[in-house]
C-alpha cells in the first residue's frame, strides 16, 4: 500500500522467486529487465544502481556496461489488473496514484534450480566481501550467518526446505493421495513427479557442492540426502 509518488527501487524478488501482483485500486508503472540485463545497471564495483532511471547511468566511468543494455519492458498496471514477474527479472515500481495491491511470491519445480543458483551466487558474494577474514576459525559458518541475513536463507535452511517439500510429495505417492492446496486445487501425480524430479536434480548438485561439503551439517540430521534421492528414484524406475 502506498501513496501517489511512492516507489520501490530496482530489485529482484526474494529467493529469485516467481511473483504476481494485483492492483486492488490505483495505478502502477513497472520497469522490468530480463535476467542478465541487471549487469548493465551495476557500477564498476558490481553494485546495482538504486534508481534505474538515474542520469548518473550515463557516466561510462562509473557504469561502464550501461551502453550494452538492450532489453527492458515498461508497463502501466491499472486497477483490477494482475502482473506476473518471472524469476530473476529485476524491476522498479512507481505508484502513479494512491494504490493498494496484493502480492505473492512462490517457488516450485520450474524455478527451484534458479533459487539454488541464486543462493550459491549470494554466498560467493559474501565470501568475496569478507575474504580478508578467511583465516578466522569458523569462517564458513560465519559466511552462512551473513548469507542468512542477506539472502533470507542459508544452506542448512535450504536443505530443510527441500526435504520438507520432498517428503510431502513422497507421502502423497506412498498413500496414493493428491495434495490439496488452497480451496479445491489439487496437485496430481504428474505434477508431484515433476516436482520430485526437479528436486532430485537440485539435491544431487547440492550435496556435491564444495561449500555444502565444508559445512558437514548432514551428520546431525535425520533426513540424509542420499536416502531421500533413493526414495525419489524409486518412482522413476
Amino acid at each position: 500500500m502506498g501513496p501517489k509518488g511512492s516507489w520501490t527501487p530496482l530489485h529482484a524478488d526474494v529467493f529469485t522467486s516467481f511473483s504476481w501482483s494485483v492492483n486492488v485500486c490505483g495505478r502502477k508503472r513497472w520497469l522490468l529487465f530480463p535476467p542478465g540485463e541487471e549487469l548493465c545497471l551495476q557500477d564498476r564495483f558490481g553494485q546495482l544502481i538504486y534508481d534505474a532511471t538515474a542520469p548518473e547511468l550515463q557516466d561510462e566511468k562509473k557504469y561502464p556496461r550501461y551502453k550494452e543494455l538492450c532489453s527492458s519492458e515498461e508497463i502501466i498496471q491499472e486497477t483490477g489488473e494482475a502482473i506476473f514477474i518471472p524469476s530473476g527479472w529485476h524491476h522498479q515500481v512507481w505508484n502513479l496514484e494512491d494504490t493498494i495491491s496484493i502480492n505473492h511470491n512462490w517457488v516450485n519445480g520450474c524455478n527451484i534450480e534458479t533459487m539454488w543458483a541464486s543462493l550459491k551466487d549470494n554466498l560467493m558474494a559474501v565470501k568475496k566481501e569478507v575474504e580478508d577474514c578467511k583465516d578466522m576459525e569458523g569462517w564458513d559458518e560465519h559466511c552462512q550467518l551473513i548469507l542468512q541475513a542477506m539472502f533470507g536463507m542459508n544452506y542448512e535452511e535450504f536443505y530443510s526446505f527441500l526435504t520438507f517439500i520432498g517428503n510431502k510429495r513422497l507421502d502423497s505417492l506412498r498413500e496414493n493421495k493428491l495434495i490439496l492446496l488452497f480451496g479445491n486445487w489439487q496437485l496430481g501425480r504428474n505434477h508431484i513427479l515433476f516436482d520430485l524430479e526437479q528436486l532430485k536434480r537440485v539435491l544431487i548438485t547440492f550435496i556435491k557442492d564444495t561449500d555444502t561439503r565444508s559445512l558437514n551439517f548432514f551428520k546431525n540430521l535425520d533426513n540424509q540426502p542420499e536416502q531421500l534421492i533413493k526414495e525419489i528414484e524409486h518412482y522413476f524406475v
Side-chain angles (χ1 to χ4, degrees), residues 2 10 16-17 30 33-34 44 53 55-56 74 102 106 132 154 179 182 184-185 217 234 237:
L10 185 65
T16 59
S17 57
W30 293 75
F33 301 90
R44 60 192 180 94
T53 65
E56 63 186 288
E74 185 166 343
I102 298 174
W106 78 101
D132 57 319
N154 60 26
I179 295 178
F182 308 102
N184 294 320
W185 293 100
F217 57 79
H234 170 75
V237 175

Side-chain angles (χ1 to χ4, degrees), residues 26-28 35 54 63 69 76 84 104 109 115 134 139 147-148 162 169 171 194 205 208 212 228:
R27 301 172 73 231
K28 285 185 176 183
Y63 293 93
L69 184 70
I76 302 298
F84 168 72
H104 182 65
M115 179 181 177
K134 194 171 184 178
W139 185 71
L147 177 67
Q148 201 282 334
L162 294 178
R169 301 293 189 266
D171 285 344
F194 172 77
T205 58
K208 291 180 179 179
T212 303
L228 183 56

